[in-house]
Amino acid sequence: MHSADVTRKLQIRNIPPHLQWEVLDGLLAQCGTVENCEQVNTDSETAVVNVTYASREHARQAIQKLNGYLLENNALRVSYIPDETSDMDGTQRGTENGRRPGYGPRGGLRGGSPSSGMPPKPPHADIPVRLLVPTQYVGAIIGKEGATIRNITKQTQSKIDVHRKENAGAAEKPISIHSTPEGCSAACRMILEIMHQEAKDTKTADEVPLKILAHNNFVGRLIGKEGRNLKKVEQDTDTKITISP
């Protein structure tokens, strides 16, 4: 491993332990092409990953963009990995930096998604659609013994997480939808229809807006120069879109 390679390798520390791989993948992919990403076993509460980018330029952008980046109140710490952490030359330096020799890529952060025997995920990122729904409609969306949400996931071929334990006492709860763009759209539509029906039945609201949580990194692109992208979406879909500050 020669030193030119080293500057493509970064270590990212202070990652929230329950963060989904998809979110991290999405962040990393915005900075450039990721060749490899593996979790390092550490004794810290937060997660640590080593990332190899396709080029030094991508890695440089990642350091600029992600160092100090706030994820769920954790500021990420990003640094280049110096030569000695290379496993190529067989000179293991024991458990330096909390590294244990011979770790392999792990499925999810703190044992999240795929099992450890799986090949690394493809470099393109799966970015979930995240909705905010009024807490009083969550029960209807889940349905009796989860029947409604199961039906939605089956029909739209998506994976849906209702984060009902998050933000205890909050008026709204987040829902994450992982699927193709078409699957996400269909799932959103079905969830919105359930909320409309529930609002009508309980006479709680005349109108239920669809609230989508957009990542801060994407909001600029979503709005576009002088608001052009957003205007186009509004015109094409005949909707009124407000972006909260």
Side-chain angles (χ1 to χ4, degrees), residues 21 37 103-108 111-121:
W21 263 121
C37 176
Y103 63 88
R106 291 240 305 271
S113 31
S115 67
S116 51
M118 303 237 328
K121 289 188 62 164

Side-chain angles (χ1 to χ4, degrees), residues 80-197:
Y80 286 116
I81 299 181
D83 215 3
E84 67 202 28
T85 56
S86 141
D87 293 345
M88 302 296 177
D89 52 9
T91 52
Q92 272 298 350
R93 303 284 180 105
T95 55
E96 226 171 337
N97 307 335
R99 288 169 81 260
R100 302 198 182 104
Y103 63 88
R106 291 240 305 271
L109 301 177
R110 279 286 146 103
S113 31
S115 67
S116 51
M118 303 237 328
K121 289 188 62 164
H124 68 81
D126 160 33
I127 298 161
V129 169
R130 298 194 71 194
L131 306 180
L132 265 187
V133 304
T135 303
Q136 75 248 42
Y137 302 143
V138 169
I141 292 166
I142 292 172
K144 200 170 174 194
E145 292 169 0
T148 311
I149 199 90
R150 265 203 308 277
N151 179 35
I152 298 173
T153 50
K154 209 161 117 190
Q155 283 195 38
T156 61
Q157 305 240 300
S158 51
K159 176 180 177 297
I160 301 176
D161 298 311
V162 181
H163 308 281
R164 61 193 306 184
K165 301 219 166 47
E166 268 181 43
N167 317 343
E172 295 173 312
K173 299 284 179 190
I175 293 182
S176 313
I177 305 170
H178 298 264
S179 187
T180 59
E182 298 73 36
C184 287
S185 301
C188 280
R189 193 175 292 121
M190 289 173 84
I191 288 171
L192 191 58
E193 278 166 9
I194 291 167
M195 293 199 294
H196 281 161
Q197 193 54 51

